[in-house]
């Protein structure tokens, strides 16, 4: 496992722990982290306070806890509808207003949670030092916003400003005092009443907005700026001081650059298909000769043999994690347990007889379906061998454990749109056409087909010409529909992919985000429908922007026992919120370490 994989895993675990703390404090079980953003179900919650934005590529756990505690306080103590109604329209004023509301809720930490207060202070101090060391304080606007953040937090929370930055802002603080003094006093006084507090926050936000506008128009400030405009904007964006609030109308994620990726006027949330004439669903045997499949199977067997996987141990670990109790029975003639009245006569006939007891026995069954959905886009071609090995090993182990297994794949019918794009051109290129390619859904192994019969077909993953492009959203919907038609009570779909959906013709006409947004929409819809658990294996990439339950792996390295254990954990862990519309079933709790 590479250091990158370990970092991703550590970050994911930290986010899961932080999300658990947020749920415990707010009482809202729908909250969770995905792609380092707080979500309620599948919608990201806007969090515009500057010091809660990510400070580094990977925040340390203590910094993440501070941000998580700030988010928890915001969810619990702030009325989002009231805040939205009172927010100023000017971007700078609203940024300050957001910051002041966050300071208000952070002042409401219960006295019984001193650790939460320490986490919040640590987070804000880290942001303060990073901002002060960035060079932004050499710019009048950067210094103004920095000073506002410091003095307002001091007034609201009564926590002192860091000594090494306090001297930097004396002149700016003096300029602010005459215009904001009364409102600053009101912040502390009214912090328990959001509506009254907002009146003073609006005053300060308006004053700061006016001062920023005046500073931008002053040619002396422009000439004295130590950073050019582009560098300044990038730095401000890095510290959460440039935020596109309009982005909340979409997926709830604030995009710092304000760009909308919806070329061609298409609405990303209204998915369309130009034509289904060239769509296909085929068994993979129809795409290759039997002799070729045999040769590919021999190649795959050599790869698996070189890996040295302990298949029986992996199967036992899967059985323990996936099995559920189905009936209860008794073991008779035991030397301890409950007295068996039917055997008491033996005490008289054979005084030395000790097997007079019975013990309850629970029978279990691995009553689930695991469906692997493999991305067969062009970028996966180089990773076909390790992916085929991983899927084949788990398909066989799951079958040995008593589970049903499907292996599915998806690609496109053509490269670059092909005949579908030609049809669109002949139709006069109508706007917002939607998907401009055919989809090809492939069945490598059906649930009812034993692994031994499906061995050659699974090896078709090594066939280079099946890899074209990928429309992930429609493929995921197809796989979930197949899973729901299966009689097993627990159904798990595991997506294996190396990145975002991509069909060049569709993206060129509808915008690069078109297929991404559709995938997010499908994940949300299938999860809301329930009955299927969705997880993802990111081959060389973190898929958390699309899938809540995901595991990044490095397929360029040899798969060791630790990697197999992590994939096992991803498959076997019950993703409770994925089955919100289905009664929970019992599962075993035992786990065998080092399954491979």
């Amino acid at each position: 496992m590479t250091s990158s994989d370990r970092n991703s895993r550590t970050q994911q675990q930290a986010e899961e722990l932080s999300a658990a703390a947020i749920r415990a404090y707010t009482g809202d079980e729908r909250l969770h982290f995905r792609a380092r953003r707080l979500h309620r179900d599948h919608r990201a919650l806007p969090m515009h306070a500057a010091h809660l934005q990510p400070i580094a590529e990977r925040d340390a756990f203590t910094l993440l806890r501070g941000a998580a505690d700030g988010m928890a306080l915001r969810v619990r103590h702030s009325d989002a509808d009231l805040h939205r109604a009172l927010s100023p329209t000017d971007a700078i004023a609203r940024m300050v207003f957001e910051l002041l509301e966050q300071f208000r809720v952070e002042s409401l930490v219960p006295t019984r949670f001193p650790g939460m207060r320490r986490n919040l202070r640590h987070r804000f101090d880290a942001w303060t030092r990073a901002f002060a060391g960035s060079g932004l304080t050499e710019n009048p606007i950067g210094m103004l916003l920095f000073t506002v953040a410091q003095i307002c937090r001091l007034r609201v929370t009564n926590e002192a400003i860091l000594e090494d930055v306090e001297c930097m802002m004396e002149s700016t603080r003096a300029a602010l005092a005459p215009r904001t003094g009364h409102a600053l006093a009101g912040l502390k006084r009214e912090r328990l009443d959001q509506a009254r507090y907002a009146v003073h926050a609006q005053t300060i936000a308006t004053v700061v907005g006016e001062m920023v506008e005046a500073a931008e128009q002053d040619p002396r400030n422009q000439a004295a700026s130590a950073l050019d405009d582009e560098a300044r904007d990038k730095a401000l964006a890095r510290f959460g001081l440039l935020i596109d609030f309009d982005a909340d109308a979409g997926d709830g994620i604030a995009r710092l650059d304000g760009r909308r990726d919806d070329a061609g006027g298409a609405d990303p949330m209204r998915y369309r298909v130009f034509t289904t004439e060239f769509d296909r669903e085929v068994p993979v045997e129809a795409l290759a000769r039997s002799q070729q499949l045999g040769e590919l199977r021999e190649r795959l067997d050599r790869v698996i043999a070189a890996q040295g996987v302990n298949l029986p141990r992996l199967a036992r670990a899967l059985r323990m994690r996936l099995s559920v109790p189905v009936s209860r029975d008794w073991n008779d003639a035991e030397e301890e347990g409950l007295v068996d009245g039917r055997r008491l006569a033996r005490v008289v006939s054979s005084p030395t007889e000790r097997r007079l007891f019975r013990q309850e026995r629970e029978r279990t069954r691995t009553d689930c379906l695991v469906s692997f959905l493999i991305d067969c886009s062009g970028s996966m071609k180089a990773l076909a061998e390790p992916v085929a090995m991983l899927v084949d090993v788990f398909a066989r182990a799951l079958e040995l454990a008593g589970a049903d297994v499907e292996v599915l794949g998806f690609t496109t019918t053509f490269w670059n749109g092909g005949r579908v794009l030609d049809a669109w051109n002949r139709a006069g290129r109508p706007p917002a056409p939607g998907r401009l390619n055919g989809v090809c859904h492939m069945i490598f192994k059906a649930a009812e087909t034993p692994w031994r019969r499906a061995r050659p077909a699974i090896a078709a993953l090594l066939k280079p010409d099946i890899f074209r492009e990928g429309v992930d959203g429609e493929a995921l919907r197809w796989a979930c529909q197949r899973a729901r038609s299966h009689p097993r009570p627990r159904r798990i779909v595991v997506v294996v992919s190396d990145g975002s959906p991509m069909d060049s013709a569709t993206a060129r006409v509808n915008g690069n985000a078109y297929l991404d947004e559709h995938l997010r929409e499908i994940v949300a819809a299938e999860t809301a429908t329930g009955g299927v658990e969705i997880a993802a294996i990111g081959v060389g990439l973190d898929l958390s922007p699309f899938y809540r339950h995901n595991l990044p792996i490095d397929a360029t390295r040899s798969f060791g026992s630790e990697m197999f254990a992590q994939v096992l954990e991803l498959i076997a862990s019950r993703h409770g919120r994925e089955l919100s519309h289905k009664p929970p079933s019992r599962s075993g709790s035992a786990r065998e370490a080092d399954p491979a």
Side-chain angles (χ1 to χ4, degrees), residues 234-523:
K234 287 182 178 179
L236 288 173
R238 177 188 171 201
F239 290 100
L241 297 178
L242 288 182
I243 298 174
D244 176 23
F245 294 103
D246 292 335
D248 290 344
D251 59 7
I253 299 176
R255 294 174 177 83
L256 297 178
D257 58 9
R259 290 176 294 179
R260 302 292 294 182
D261 202 358
D262 51 1
D267 179 358
M269 298 307 290
R270 294 183 59 199
Y271 187 76
R272 305 171 183 83
V273 176
F274 183 72
T275 178
T276 60
E277 179 182 356
F278 303 100
D279 294 355
R280 293 192 295 169
E281 178 182 321
V282 294
V284 78
E285 295 94 329
L287 304 177
R289 295 174 289 106
S290 58
Q291 180 181 355
Q292 184 183 23
L293 291 178
E295 294 171 354
L296 294 174
R297 184 67 229 185
E298 291 178 3
R299 174 183 160 192
L300 181 57
D301 286 341
R302 289 194 295 271
V303 173
I304 295 174
Q307 195 64 41
V309 180
N310 190 329
L311 199 66
R313 176 178 290 185
L314 181 60
R316 288 196 302 271
L318 285 165
R319 184 182 298 111
M320 286 191 292
R321 293 301 311 275
L322 293 171
S323 62
V324 294
V326 293
S327 65
R328 296 185 182 277
D329 204 348
W330 295 90
N331 290 330
D332 297 325
E334 298 289 338
E335 293 188 357
E336 59 181 12
L338 299 176
V339 175
D340 187 352
R342 298 169 301 175
R343 304 178 67 85
L344 288 178
R346 297 199 176 193
V347 176
V348 178
S349 61
S350 180
T352 60
E353 176 63 61
R354 298 174 56 85
R355 294 173 296 173
L356 305 174
F357 304 92
R358 62 192 314 208
Q359 293 181 355
E360 191 175 25
R361 181 180 73 235
E362 190 175 70
R363 296 175 56 199
T364 62
R365 183 172 64 186
T366 310
D367 208 3
C368 75
L369 164 74
V370 179
S371 179
F372 291 97
L373 178 63
I374 304 168
D375 175 9
C376 294
S377 58
S379 57
M380 286 284 284
K381 187 187 301 185
L383 304 168
E385 196 170 271
V387 167
M389 184 272 294
L390 181 71
V391 170
D392 187 80
V393 166
F394 270 93
R396 188 178 180 188
L398 283 162
E399 185 173 289
L400 290 174
D404 286 342
V405 185
E406 276 202 326
V407 181
L408 310 173
F410 65 95
T411 185
T412 54
T413 311
F414 310 106
W415 279 103
N416 301 318
R419 295 170 66 183
V420 178
L421 183 62
D422 293 341
W424 176 68
N425 286 324
R426 289 194 302 270
R429 305 177 66 140
R435 167 164 60 85
L436 285 175
N437 206 334
V439 296
C440 179
H441 295 159
M442 299 172 289
I443 303 170
F444 294 88
K445 178 189 179 303
E448 62 274 9
T449 305
W451 173 83
R452 187 170 295 279
R453 282 179 50 198
R455 290 175 67 251
I458 295 175
L461 282 165
L462 303 180
K463 191 173 185 291
D465 59 0
I466 68 171
F467 295 88
R468 296 187 186 90
E469 298 184 270
V471 181
D472 298 46
E474 291 190 58
L476 178 60
R477 182 172 57 194
W478 168 67
C480 289
Q481 288 172 346
R482 286 181 62 90
R484 285 194 184 90
S485 67
H486 196 274
R488 296 273 190 159
R490 186 180 181 190
R491 311 169 190 101
I492 307 165
V493 172
V494 181
V495 181
V496 183
S497 177
D498 69 338
S500 304
M502 174 49 66
D503 175 64
S504 53
T506 302
R508 189 164 58 248
V509 177
N510 300 275
N512 291 330
Y514 189 71
L515 293 176
D516 288 4
E517 296 294 341
H518 179 242
L519 175 57
R520 292 189 181 97
E521 181 183 288
I522 292 300
V523 172

